[in-house]
């Protein structure tokens, strides 16, 4: 059985039909334009669950940061009580490259974190600020840029 062909207009093959119409946005422009001119200086990690499990997930991250080739410190600001010198040793962190700092007097952990970032003596400053407002986040970003450092905030839940 044959079907009559009534249309005189030729049908374009599937891929040619897509090639005829311009794509939006132009893929070439997207690939050639950088995402951001400045590197990211702030990161945040949220861990939920039992404290021991959270610390187990955190250990390899901190271990890697403690072995960084940068001659500056890995600074931990007001870490949770479970993050002790014993835990640092057992987790295999290079304790000779780590500073543990606690705020004193009326100084907040946020203020201490900003100060440590601004000074630039640490390649990474890890904080446990929760909740972290938009204003606080912007202060950390600004301080990290001044000190050419990285800010990592960890939220434990």
């Amino acid at each position: 059985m044959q079907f009559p062909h009534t249309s005189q207009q030729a049908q374009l093959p599937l891929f040619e039909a897509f090639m005829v119409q311009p794509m939006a946005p132009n893929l070439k422009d997207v690939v050639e334009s950088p995402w951001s001119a400045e590197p990211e200086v702030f990161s945040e990690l949220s861990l939920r669950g039992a404290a021991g499990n959270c610390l187990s997930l955190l250990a390899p991250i901190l271990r890697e940061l403690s072995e960084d080739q940068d001659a500056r410190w890995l600074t931990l600001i007001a870490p949770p009580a479970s993050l002790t010198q014993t835990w640092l040793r057992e987790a295999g962190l290079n304790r000779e490259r780590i500073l543990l700092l606690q705020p004193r007097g009326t100084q907040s952990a946020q203020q201490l974190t900003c100060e440590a970032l601004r000074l630039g003596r640490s390649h990474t400053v890890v904080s446990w600020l929760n909740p972290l407002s938009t204003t606080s986040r912007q202060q950390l970003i600004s301080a990290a840029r001044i000190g050419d450092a990285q800010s990592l905030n960890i939220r434990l839940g």
Side-chain angles (χ1 to χ4, degrees):
M1 174 183 251
Q2 292 186 0
F3 296 105
H5 187 63
T6 59
S7 173
Q8 297 296 329
Q9 185 177 12
Q11 182 179 5
L12 292 174
L14 179 63
F15 294 112
E16 287 182 29
F18 285 113
M19 298 302 285
V20 170
Q21 298 183 10
M23 294 174 59
N26 189 343
L27 189 57
K28 182 180 177 188
D29 295 338
V30 172
V31 172
E32 290 179 357
S33 66
W35 284 72
S36 174
E38 293 187 37
E40 291 292 325
V41 295
F42 176 83
S43 299
E44 191 163 40
L45 178 64
S46 180
L47 299 172
R48 290 187 171 77
N53 292 341
C54 289
L55 287 178
S56 294
L57 292 170
L58 189 56
I61 296 167
L62 294 179
R63 185 173 34 253
E64 182 74 23
L65 290 170
S66 75
E67 297 294 337
D68 195 290
Q69 296 304 309
D70 193 317
R72 300 179 294 168
W73 297 97
L74 166 61
T75 301
L76 310 179
I77 306 287
S82 55
L83 205 145
T84 63
Q85 288 288 346
T86 303
W87 182 86
L88 293 172
R89 182 178 55 252
E90 290 173 355
L93 277 72
N94 182 356
R95 292 177 300 140
E96 294 177 1
R97 302 283 305 279
I98 297 175
L99 285 177
L100 280 110
L101 301 177
Q102 295 290 341
R104 293 186 181 168
T106 60
Q107 185 181 42
S108 70
Q110 165 79 23
Q111 291 168 330
L112 181 57
T113 302
C114 284
E115 186 64 21
L117 287 165
R118 244 189 314 275
L119 287 174
R121 292 196 171 85
S122 303
H123 59 80
T124 307
V125 177
V126 182
S127 57
W128 282 263
L129 304 171
N130 193 19
L132 188 62
S133 69
T134 304
T135 302
S136 296
R137 182 184 318 261
Q138 288 305 317
Q139 289 171 347
L140 293 173
I141 291 169
S142 176
R145 286 189 178 135
I146 290 168
D148 189 29
Q150 295 288 315
S151 177
L152 171 60
N153 189 58
I154 299 174
R155 292 187 296 142
L156 297 175

